[in-house]
Amino acid sequence: MNYNQYEYYSVKGGRRADQVESYRNPSISVKELRIMTDTIIEYKRFTHFETRVLKEPLEEITKHTSFNVTYEKVKKGRSIDSIVFHIEKKRMADDNSYKLDDRAYQEDKARKAETEDQLVLQAMDSPYTKLLIEHFLLSYLDLVDKKILVGLQKNVYPLYDELKELRGLNGVKDHLSYVRAKQEDYSKKNICKYLKKAIEQYLPTVKRQDLNHE
Protein backbone atom coordinates (compact mmCIF):
# COMPACT_ATOMS: atom_id res chain seq x y z
CA MET A 1 0.00 0.00 0.00
CA ASN A 2 2.49 2.54 -1.18
CA TYR A 3 0.66 5.85 -1.02
CA ASN A 4 3.94 7.68 -1.65
CA GLN A 5 4.00 6.16 -5.13
CA TYR A 6 0.50 7.50 -5.72
CA GLU A 7 1.60 11.01 -4.71
CA TYR A 8 4.78 10.82 -6.79
CA TYR A 9 3.26 9.54 -10.04
CA SER A 10 0.18 11.76 -9.72
CA VAL A 11 2.51 14.74 -10.07
CA LYS A 12 5.37 13.41 -12.20
CA GLY A 13 3.43 11.16 -14.54
CA GLY A 14 5.04 8.10 -16.09
CA ARG A 15 2.27 5.65 -15.19
CA ARG A 16 -1.14 4.90 -16.66
CA ALA A 17 -4.12 6.32 -14.80
CA ASP A 18 -5.22 2.87 -13.65
CA GLN A 19 -1.72 2.11 -12.35
CA VAL A 20 -1.63 5.35 -10.36
CA GLU A 21 -5.06 4.65 -8.92
CA SER A 22 -3.98 1.16 -7.88
CA TYR A 23 -1.37 2.69 -5.57
CA ARG A 24 -4.16 4.41 -3.67
CA ASN A 25 -6.60 1.50 -3.90
CA PRO A 26 -4.44 -1.63 -3.74
CA SER A 27 -6.02 -5.08 -3.94
CA ILE A 28 -4.79 -8.25 -2.26
CA SER A 29 -6.23 -11.74 -2.19
CA VAL A 30 -7.41 -13.16 1.12
CA LYS A 31 -4.96 -16.03 0.65
CA GLU A 32 -2.02 -13.63 0.32
CA LEU A 33 -3.27 -11.58 3.26
CA ARG A 34 -3.42 -14.68 5.46
CA ILE A 35 0.15 -15.57 4.49
CA MET A 36 1.36 -12.03 5.19
CA THR A 37 -0.35 -11.91 8.59
CA ASP A 38 0.53 -15.50 9.52
CA THR A 39 -3.13 -16.41 10.00
CA ILE A 40 -3.42 -19.40 7.67
CA ILE A 41 -4.48 -21.61 10.56
CA GLU A 42 -6.01 -18.98 12.85
CA TYR A 43 -9.41 -17.34 12.46
CA LYS A 44 -10.92 -19.97 10.19
CA ARG A 45 -14.22 -18.12 10.16
CA PHE A 46 -13.96 -15.05 7.96
CA THR A 47 -15.88 -12.89 10.44
CA HIS A 48 -13.17 -13.52 13.06
CA PHE A 49 -10.44 -12.94 10.50
CA GLU A 50 -12.06 -9.70 9.39
CA THR A 51 -12.32 -8.40 12.95
CA ARG A 52 -8.76 -9.19 14.03
CA VAL A 53 -6.82 -8.64 10.79
CA LEU A 54 -8.82 -5.91 9.08
CA LYS A 55 -11.18 -3.91 11.27
CA GLU A 56 -9.11 -3.54 14.44
CA PRO A 57 -5.74 -2.77 12.78
CA LEU A 58 -7.28 -0.32 10.32
CA GLU A 59 -9.06 1.50 13.13
CA GLU A 60 -5.67 1.93 14.81
CA ILE A 61 -4.07 3.14 11.58
CA THR A 62 -6.83 5.68 11.02
CA LYS A 63 -6.68 6.84 14.62
CA HIS A 64 -2.91 7.20 14.99
CA THR A 65 -1.59 8.05 11.52
CA SER A 66 -2.21 10.69 8.86
CA PHE A 67 -4.24 8.24 6.74
CA ASN A 68 -7.85 7.14 6.59
CA VAL A 69 -7.94 3.52 5.45
CA THR A 70 -11.12 1.65 4.56
CA TYR A 71 -11.70 -1.55 2.61
CA GLU A 72 -14.23 -3.47 0.61
CA LYS A 73 -14.65 -7.21 0.22
CA VAL A 74 -14.64 -8.70 -3.28
CA LYS A 75 -16.51 -11.95 -3.72
CA LYS A 76 -15.76 -14.79 -6.07
CA GLY A 77 -18.74 -17.04 -6.09
CA ARG A 78 -20.07 -17.24 -2.53
CA SER A 79 -16.77 -16.65 -0.72
CA ILE A 80 -14.64 -13.56 -0.14
CA ASP A 81 -11.77 -13.72 -2.62
CA SER A 82 -9.90 -10.45 -2.11
CA ILE A 83 -9.77 -7.15 -0.27
CA VAL A 84 -9.49 -3.72 -1.88
CA PHE A 85 -8.06 -1.05 0.40
CA HIS A 86 -8.92 2.62 -0.03
CA ILE A 87 -6.29 5.00 1.31
CA GLU A 88 -6.91 8.71 1.78
CA LYS A 89 -4.55 11.20 3.35
CA LYS A 90 -6.13 13.28 6.08
CA ARG A 91 -6.30 16.98 5.37
CA MET A 92 -4.16 18.89 7.81
CA ALA A 93 -4.12 22.66 8.24
CA ASP A 94 -0.88 22.88 6.25
CA ASP A 95 -1.47 19.89 3.97
CA ASN A 96 -1.71 20.49 0.22
CA SER A 97 -1.94 16.84 -0.81
CA TYR A 98 -5.58 17.31 -1.84
CA LYS A 99 -4.26 19.42 -4.71
CA LEU A 100 -2.96 16.27 -6.39
CA ASP A 101 -6.40 15.89 -7.95
CA ASP A 102 -6.71 19.59 -8.80
CA ARG A 103 -5.94 19.88 -12.51
CA ALA A 104 -5.76 23.68 -12.43
CA TYR A 105 -3.25 23.53 -9.57
CA GLN A 106 -1.10 20.99 -11.39
CA GLU A 107 -1.16 23.02 -14.62
CA ASP A 108 -0.20 26.17 -12.71
CA LYS A 109 2.63 24.28 -11.02
CA ALA A 110 3.89 23.09 -14.41
CA ARG A 111 3.78 26.64 -15.80
CA LYS A 112 5.79 27.93 -12.85
CA ALA A 113 8.40 25.21 -13.35
CA GLU A 114 8.63 26.11 -17.05
CA THR A 115 9.02 29.80 -16.17
CA GLU A 116 11.82 28.96 -13.73
CA ASP A 117 13.61 26.96 -16.42
CA GLN A 118 13.40 29.95 -18.76
CA LEU A 119 14.80 32.25 -16.07
CA VAL A 120 17.72 29.87 -15.53
CA LEU A 121 18.56 29.87 -19.25
CA GLN A 122 18.32 33.66 -19.39
CA ALA A 123 20.61 34.01 -16.38
CA MET A 124 23.16 31.65 -17.92
CA ASP A 125 23.24 33.80 -21.07
CA SER A 126 23.26 37.14 -19.24
CA PRO A 127 26.43 39.27 -19.39
CA TYR A 128 25.78 40.12 -15.74
CA THR A 129 26.43 36.52 -14.74
CA LYS A 130 29.83 36.69 -16.42
CA LEU A 131 30.57 39.98 -14.64
CA LEU A 132 29.64 38.51 -11.26
CA ILE A 133 32.03 35.62 -11.86
CA GLU A 134 34.80 37.99 -12.97
CA HIS A 135 34.31 40.00 -9.77
CA PHE A 136 34.33 36.81 -7.65
CA LEU A 137 30.78 37.41 -6.47
CA LEU A 138 29.66 34.14 -8.05
CA SER A 139 31.49 30.85 -8.32
CA TYR A 140 31.09 28.24 -11.02
CA LEU A 141 29.40 26.05 -8.43
CA ASP A 142 26.68 28.69 -8.14
CA LEU A 143 25.87 28.15 -11.81
CA VAL A 144 24.37 24.75 -11.01
CA ASP A 145 22.17 26.21 -8.28
CA LYS A 146 18.79 26.81 -9.91
CA LYS A 147 17.52 28.89 -7.00
CA ILE A 148 20.42 31.35 -7.28
CA LEU A 149 20.08 31.77 -11.04
CA VAL A 150 16.32 32.29 -10.86
CA GLY A 151 16.77 34.82 -8.06
CA LEU A 152 19.38 36.78 -10.00
CA GLN A 153 17.44 36.89 -13.25
CA LYS A 154 14.16 37.75 -11.56
CA ASN A 155 15.22 40.17 -8.81
CA VAL A 156 18.73 41.49 -9.49
CA TYR A 157 19.39 41.75 -13.21
CA PRO A 158 16.42 44.06 -13.93
CA LEU A 159 17.98 46.53 -11.47
CA TYR A 160 21.34 46.18 -13.22
CA ASP A 161 19.52 47.09 -16.44
CA GLU A 162 18.37 50.32 -14.80
CA LEU A 163 21.91 51.12 -13.71
CA LYS A 164 23.22 50.32 -17.17
CA GLU A 165 20.80 52.82 -18.71
CA LEU A 166 22.04 55.50 -16.31
CA ARG A 167 25.77 54.74 -16.21
CA GLY A 168 26.44 52.25 -18.99
CA LEU A 169 28.00 48.82 -18.58
CA ASN A 170 31.09 50.36 -16.96
CA GLY A 171 28.81 51.77 -14.29
CA VAL A 172 27.63 48.25 -13.51
CA LYS A 173 31.24 47.06 -13.38
CA ASP A 174 32.19 49.86 -10.97
CA HIS A 175 29.25 48.99 -8.74
CA LEU A 176 30.24 45.31 -8.65
CA SER A 177 33.83 46.21 -7.81
CA TYR A 178 32.59 48.25 -4.86
CA VAL A 179 30.21 45.50 -3.73
CA ARG A 180 32.99 42.92 -3.89
CA ALA A 181 35.33 45.13 -1.85
CA LYS A 182 32.70 45.54 0.87
CA GLN A 183 31.47 41.94 0.86
CA GLU A 184 31.41 40.07 4.16
CA ASP A 185 31.60 36.28 4.45
CA TYR A 186 28.05 36.00 5.77
CA SER A 187 26.65 37.45 2.54
CA LYS A 188 27.90 34.48 0.52
CA LYS A 189 25.20 32.32 2.10
CA ASN A 190 22.50 34.36 0.38
CA ILE A 191 24.21 36.05 -2.53
CA CYS A 192 20.96 37.03 -4.30
CA LYS A 193 19.66 38.87 -1.27
CA TYR A 194 23.02 40.61 -0.78
CA LEU A 195 23.30 41.76 -4.41
CA LYS A 196 19.68 42.89 -4.52
CA LYS A 197 20.06 44.95 -1.36
CA ALA A 198 23.28 46.51 -2.65
CA ILE A 199 21.81 47.67 -5.95
CA GLU A 200 18.57 48.82 -4.33
CA GLN A 201 20.59 51.07 -2.02
CA TYR A 202 22.82 52.36 -4.83
CA LEU A 203 20.25 53.16 -7.53
CA PRO A 204 18.51 56.03 -5.65
CA THR A 205 21.92 57.69 -5.17
CA VAL A 206 22.66 57.48 -8.89
CA LYS A 207 19.24 58.89 -9.78
CA ARG A 208 19.65 61.80 -7.35
CA GLN A 209 23.06 62.58 -8.83
CA ASP A 210 21.58 62.70 -12.31
CA LEU A 211 18.81 65.04 -11.14
CA ASN A 212 21.35 67.37 -9.56
CA HIS A 213 23.27 67.58 -12.83
CA GLU A 214 20.26 68.47 -14.94
Side-chain angles (χ1 to χ4, degrees), residues 7-100:
E7 291 186 315
Y8 178 84
Y9 288 113
S10 292
V11 176
K12 297 291 186 180
R15 292 289 188 276
R16 298 193 312 272
D18 60 324
Q19 288 178 307
V20 174
E21 198 61 24
S22 71
Y23 293 134
R24 186 169 62 168
N25 302 301
S27 175
I28 185 170
S29 70
V30 172
K31 182 178 179 180
E32 288 179 286
L33 191 55
R34 281 189 176 276
I35 293 172
M36 289 173 60
T37 56
D38 196 21
T39 54
I40 296 175
I41 299 175
E42 294 182 86
Y43 314 128
K44 288 294 186 180
R45 294 185 61 179
F46 185 81
T47 52
H48 295 162
F49 173 79
E50 181 178 18
T51 299
R52 299 305 299 273
V53 176
L54 293 170
K55 287 183 177 179
E56 292 178 358
L58 294 186
E59 285 175 3
E60 289 295 306
I61 290 173
T62 298
K63 183 178 180 180
H64 298 292
T65 74
S66 58
F67 296 98
N68 288 318
V69 184
T70 57
Y71 67 93
E72 63 178 300
K73 295 170 284 188
V74 179
K75 282 189 173 183
K76 189 174 184 179
R78 298 181 62 183
S79 60
I80 306 299
D81 178 70
S82 59
I83 304 295
V84 178
F85 294 93
H86 301 291
I87 308 168
E88 295 286 344
K89 200 167 188 179
K90 296 175 185 175
R91 292 191 184 182
M92 306 298 183
D94 58 348
D95 180 23
N96 290 323
S97 63
Y98 66 93
K99 293 181 180 178
L100 289 170

Side-chain angles (χ1 to χ4, degrees), residues 142-169:
D142 293 326
L143 298 183
V144 298
D145 191 320
K146 185 175 181 179
K147 185 177 180 181
I148 289 177
L149 293 174
V150 169
L152 290 171
Q153 185 63 36
K154 185 177 180 181
N155 302 313
V156 179
Y157 291 173
L159 299 177
Y160 287 173
D161 283 337
E162 288 187 42
L163 179 58
K164 183 181 176 183
E165 287 184 14
L166 296 169
R167 290 286 189 272
L169 190 59

